[in-house]
Amino acid sequence: MSFRRTKSGLTNSHLFFGVDAVVYLEGGTSLSREEVDNGVYADSTNDIMFWKTIFRVYRPEGKYKFCSIGSKKTVESIALDIKEGRVNNIIVAMDRDFDHINGKLIEADNIIYTFGYSWENDVWNKTTLMEAFCTLSGACKTGTQEEMGIIDSYYRDCASKLKWATRIDALLSQYDNSLFDRDSYMRYVKIEKNGMPTVNREQVKTSMSLARQKLDRPIVRKTSFTVSSLVDCYGHLFAEYAYRILTYLLEKIRNNPKLPKKYATSMVVEKFGQLLLNDSLPELIRHYDSEFSNVVT
């Protein structure tokens, strides 16, 4: 695939794949721009699963090749080429992270972002989780009042306990730093004796102390911003909380066997796509309607 070693080659790659456009995403092993230009990519990641679902909702007649290239920095380099008109027939889809409060959003046709911090924040909302629970447990919605109450209470509790942690994480992003350890996010999830997951507040406090030591200076806002605990929480961590409450409900309440996270993620993404089609997630629908209005290939 040597024809892809120039920007014109990247533009023509859709011809090689026989599609309308090639969509570059995060997910999988982080690749350099040179590797991507030489045709290296992954074609089976959770990011691809999510964005394929979104494209089936918003561009059902289109033909696309989805390529995960891991590094957001590399994805952004392609986005900049799109914005500057150096490549065509290419789409970039990526997690928003805290780009909206740091002035880093790249705005142009064929560049689209998630609504929340990441696609995990979008799909693991409580409506989608409830839909997944009903399917996985075989329960009828009219007989799930107990589970619905647990889910509502759990999301409210997470929102409350993550409020300041998420705000500080956003604040630290203005210093190219973070509160949550991105490589060891599981340490922020605490499993109670009854199996119910909760926020590990002690670990959050420890991370806050470490962040202050690392910066060694007063932490002040560089720009004004507002964040929502569940929408703007670090995506992998938020997904872990939601997955754990789903498995708690299935195992402790319904006595179902343990549910692998990969299967749970696949189910939740599928339900998310169905809810979009059924106009059941108005805020997310408005966001993706707007994003896809800029997709011109």
Side-chain angles (χ1 to χ4, degrees):
M1 296 194 293
S2 60
F3 69 89
R4 299 184 68 196
R5 292 177 182 167
T6 64
K7 290 184 174 60
S8 63
L10 205 65
T11 290
N12 293 327
S13 60
H14 73 294
L15 299 175
F16 177 83
F17 291 115
V19 296
D20 299 323
V22 178
V23 186
Y24 285 99
L25 318 166
E26 298 169 79
T29 302
S30 289
L31 303 173
S32 67
R33 181 58 190 269
E34 182 180 5
E35 289 175 308
V36 174
D37 287 343
N38 280 300
V40 182
Y41 63 89
D43 57 8
S44 180
T45 67
N46 285 339
D47 290 69
I48 288 178
M49 177 173 61
F50 169 77
W51 286 109
K52 272 188 175 180
T53 299
I54 296 294
F55 273 76
R56 279 198 294 268
V57 172
Y58 285 93
R59 289 292 185 275
E61 304 302 322
K63 294 173 61 179
Y64 302 96
K65 172 65 178 178
F66 295 86
C67 299
S68 274
I69 57 178
S71 167
K72 184 170 182 179
K73 181 178 179 180
T74 303
V75 174
E76 287 175 329
S77 75
I78 299 174
L80 288 172
D81 280 343
I82 292 173
K83 183 174 182 178
E84 298 300 323
R86 291 189 287 265
V87 296
N88 298 303
N89 308 307
I90 299 292
I91 299 170
V92 159
M94 55 186 153
D95 292 339
R96 168 175 58 73
D97 298 334
F98 289 125
D99 291 353
H100 64 308
I101 66 175
N102 293 324
K104 293 183 178 180
L105 290 175
I106 303 172
E107 298 179 344
D109 288 344
N110 289 347
I111 300 172
I112 56 182
Y113 288 89
T114 56
F115 172 71
Y117 183 95
S118 73
W119 65 264
E120 286 96 337
N121 301 71
D122 289 359
V123 303
W124 284 101
N125 63 79
K126 66 179 182 180
T127 302
T128 306
L129 188 142
M130 190 66 206
E131 290 289 325
F133 169 76
C134 288
T135 297
L136 291 166
S137 66
C140 176
K141 289 183 182 179
T142 57
T144 57
Q145 287 83 0
E146 179 183 2
E147 289 87 352
M148 289 178 68
I150 291 173
I151 290 173
D152 282 337
S153 176
Y154 183 76
Y155 274 77
R156 286 196 303 271
D157 186 58
C158 269
S160 175
K161 290 179 178 177
L162 288 170
K163 180 179 179 180
W164 288 108
T166 301
R167 183 169 180 77
I168 296 301
D169 198 39
L171 177 58
L172 289 170
S173 75
Q174 299 187 325
Y175 293 85
D176 295 321
N177 212 311
S178 62
L179 172 67
F180 297 118
D181 184 337
R182 264 57 179 168
D183 296 322
S184 302
Y185 57 87
M186 279 293 297
R187 68 178 65 182
Y188 301 99
V189 182
K190 181 179 179 181
I191 305 299
E192 303 284 11
K193 290 183 179 180
N194 66 351
M196 175 77 83
T198 188
V199 176
N200 188 338
R201 287 181 163 179
E202 291 305 312
Q203 186 58 55
V204 172
K205 291 177 182 177
T206 298
S207 294
M208 172 70 75
S209 178
L210 290 172
R212 284 172 173 162
Q213 293 173 25
K214 191 184 302 183
L215 286 175
D216 192 29
R217 54 179 159 169
I219 304 174
V220 296
R221 287 187 304 175
K222 293 184 177 181
T223 58
S224 179
F225 63 83
T226 58
V227 293
S228 167
S229 304
L230 304 186
V231 173
D232 296 300
C233 176
Y234 174 50
H236 287 310
L237 175 57
F238 178 71
E240 189 64 30
Y241 284 127
Y243 164 67
R244 291 290 179 175
I245 191 61
L246 177 60
T247 57
Y248 168 80
L249 293 171
L250 290 169
E251 294 174 28
K252 302 297 182 180
I253 307 299
R254 294 286 171 166
N255 296 315
N256 284 30
K258 186 173 179 60
L259 178 69
K261 189 174 183 180
K262 185 175 182 179
Y263 183 71
T265 301
S266 177
M267 174 61 70
V268 169
V269 170
E270 178 186 339
K271 293 300 179 183
F272 178 73
Q274 292 173 3
L275 288 168
L276 289 180
L277 284 170
N278 295 335
D279 294 329
S280 299
L281 299 169
E283 191 172 25
L284 286 154
I285 289 169
R286 285 194 297 272
H287 171 78
Y288 284 107
D289 280 346
S290 176
E291 294 296 291
F292 274 84
S293 69
N294 297 321
V295 175
V296 296
T297 56

